[in-house]
Amino acid sequence: MINKKNLWFLSLFSLVLVLSVYYITMPTELLLTNNGDILDNVNMNVEEVSIVESLRQQDNSSTLEEINKLKATISDSEVATEDKNKAFDSLKLLNQISSKEELLEEKIKNTWGLDSFIKINGDQIRVVVDSDEHTSALANNIMKTIQNNFDTKQYIVVQFK
């Protein structure tokens, strides 16, 4: 004997099955014409992301991945204490570098009014500036602004996008 629950289940299952078969056998031209209008509207509303923001997001995701690896090493009970200490020091250094990069980006924004992305790798600093003005004088001024924040000589590369 079929009870109410089984009857509802069979009814809904058969409905889903019929709709699935209908969707699969539906002509693809019909799907494309309806979705094409929707895609055009979506494309008009999507704002273009600047290259600086794209680089920043990429760097943030790789930094977050590195932080998660280091935290996993620190919290792993099977890892030796010396390795945990090295992971902790690396995590601390990574946080210091990230904060220094943010500080320099803010300084360039406040001093020159330019949106920038800065990546520090040892004594090498890569600066990507979102600016219409591509002069060597501006690049030189940006390099001086950055160098003033360090005690030792840094190798600074400025790129305009």
Side-chain angles (χ1 to χ4, degrees), residues 18-157:
V18 168
L19 289 174
S20 300
V21 169
Y22 176 73
Y23 180 75
I24 290 171
T25 60
M26 198 163 56
T28 56
E29 295 84 23
L30 183 61
L31 291 173
L32 291 177
T33 56
N34 289 342
N35 289 338
D37 296 336
I38 294 170
L39 289 176
D40 290 340
N41 291 339
V42 169
N43 287 337
M44 282 193 244
N45 293 330
V46 174
E47 290 184 24
E48 187 177 315
V49 177
S50 71
I51 192 126
V52 171
E53 287 299 320
S54 174
L55 288 170
R56 194 171 288 134
Q57 289 172 355
Q58 232 175 16
D59 184 55
N60 286 344
S61 64
S62 64
T63 302
L64 185 61
E65 185 178 313
E66 184 67 25
I67 287 172
N68 288 336
K69 285 180 186 176
L70 292 170
K71 283 183 177 181
T73 302
I74 292 170
S75 63
D76 191 0
S77 62
E78 296 177 5
V79 175
T81 306
E82 185 178 317
D83 293 335
K84 285 184 179 185
N85 288 339
K86 287 179 184 177
F88 181 76
D89 291 340
S90 297
L91 184 62
K92 194 165 90 172
L93 180 65
L94 189 62
N95 284 332
Q96 288 173 349
I97 290 172
S98 294
S99 61
K100 187 73 164 180
E101 290 170 349
E102 289 178 20
L103 176 77
L104 292 172
E105 287 174 3
E106 191 66 31
K107 186 167 263 195
I108 289 175
K109 181 79 169 176
N110 292 337
T111 305
W112 304 105
L114 299 172
D115 196 18
S116 64
F117 168 76
I118 296 177
K119 184 65 182 165
I120 299 173
N121 188 8
D123 64 346
Q124 299 179 356
I125 300 174
R126 178 178 168 224
V127 182
V128 178
V129 180
D130 189 12
S131 173
D132 294 332
E133 182 184 352
H134 300 150
T135 63
S136 58
L138 179 59
N140 194 23
N141 288 334
I142 290 172
M143 284 190 253
K144 287 179 183 176
T145 302
I146 292 173
Q147 184 61 53
N148 289 338
N149 292 284
F150 293 93
D151 296 332
T152 60
K153 173 75 174 146
Q154 302 295 312
Y155 299 100
I156 303 168
V157 176

